Amino acid sequence: MARTVWDSSVGKKAVMAVSGIIMLLYLVVHMIGNLKIFFGPGEFNHYAHWLRTLGEPFMHYEWTLWLIRVVLVAAVVAHAVSAYQLSRRDLRARPSKYVHKKARAGYATRTMRWGGVILGLFIVWHLLDLTTGTVHAGGFQEGHPYQNVVDTFSTWYGNVVYIVAVLALGLHVRHGFFSAAQTLGAGSRTRNRALRAVADVLALLLTAGFVAVPVGVMTGVVS
């Protein structure tokens, strides 16, 4: 039964919707946590340490954090694979271009596809920068996330990569949230306007919240 659902276009869209909502919930929590950097290194570093002790003593050190990571990786993979397969299926269904294009639909589709590629590349860069320290600017300091964040956003390329990715994220959330609501049956004539408004507000808040951190470092508010 699971294979039958997965093989159908409706099933893949449902997987995309559910995995997208899981990632969206994480992004909201992650953004709120990031904003703690404005309360100083003590508050931000303590928050990072708390993430590793979350669930203790029932959960061992970092077990909860790793569980969250596993769920997120599964959501990202499911989302990306579903999107890719749906895209290929759509191309096979209409190998020749339409004579008359729908501008809005085409714009949304291109935004989602290219936004997804940008975000996928950014996730890899972000992990190598602030989790493993492989591409980190300056000396990566294990256990000192505040200083690591300041180091990253003290470089022009660190700011450019991050802000471009966040702008792509905002567009992705704006289109994706409404599409997910339609896929999961939440849309209707009376609710669509409200759903679009929620999508706009979510995209705006996430974009502003994430961009606030590099802007704070660039302006010296965070140093």
Side-chain angles (χ1 to χ4, degrees), residues 2-40:
R3 182 59 185 270
T4 302
V5 172
W6 171 250
D7 286 341
S8 68
S9 295
V10 174
K12 293 183 189 299
K13 289 179 180 179
V15 170
M16 279 191 69
V18 173
S19 59
I21 289 173
I22 291 172
M23 291 186 287
L24 179 60
L25 292 174
Y26 167 77
L27 286 169
V28 172
V29 174
H30 187 45
M31 180 201 69
I32 295 172
N34 282 0
L35 294 177
K36 286 182 175 290
I37 201 167
F38 290 99
F39 295 95

Side-chain angles (χ1 to χ4, degrees), residues 95-129:
S96 59
K97 295 183 178 180
Y98 292 127
V99 175
H100 300 288
K101 294 181 180 179
K102 293 182 179 180
R104 290 186 64 185
Y107 168 76
T109 301
R110 288 194 300 272
T111 299
M112 294 298 285
R113 287 176 181 170
W114 285 107
V117 172
I118 291 171
L119 291 173
L121 294 173
F122 170 73
I123 289 172
V124 175
W125 180 86
H126 196 51
L127 291 173
L128 292 175
D129 179 31

Side-chain angles (χ1 to χ4, degrees), residues 105-221:
Y107 168 76
T109 301
R110 288 194 300 272
T111 299
M112 294 298 285
R113 287 176 181 170
W114 285 107
V117 172
I118 291 171
L119 291 173
L121 294 173
F122 170 73
I123 289 172
V124 175
W125 180 86
H126 196 51
L127 291 173
L128 292 175
D129 179 31
L130 293 175
T131 301
T132 66
T134 307
V135 299
H136 185 72
F140 182 77
Q141 302 180 48
E142 186 71 36
H144 295 82
Y146 182 93
Q147 189 57 50
N148 292 333
V149 171
V150 171
D151 288 344
T152 290
F153 297 129
S154 295
T155 62
W156 67 267
Y157 58 86
N159 289 307
V160 170
V161 170
Y162 191 86
I163 291 174
V164 168
V166 168
L167 293 176
L169 172 68
L171 290 173
H172 207 75
V173 168
R174 183 173 180 269
H175 293 304
F177 179 84
F178 183 77
S179 296
Q182 302 302 309
T183 298
L184 298 177
S188 68
R189 283 188 175 182
T190 57
R191 289 195 292 265
N192 280 349
R193 181 174 294 182
L195 288 171
R196 290 188 186 278
V198 171
D200 290 341
V201 170
L202 274 173
L204 181 61
L205 288 177
L206 285 171
T207 302
F210 280 118
V211 169
V213 178
V215 170
V217 175
M218 284 189 288
T219 56
V221 175

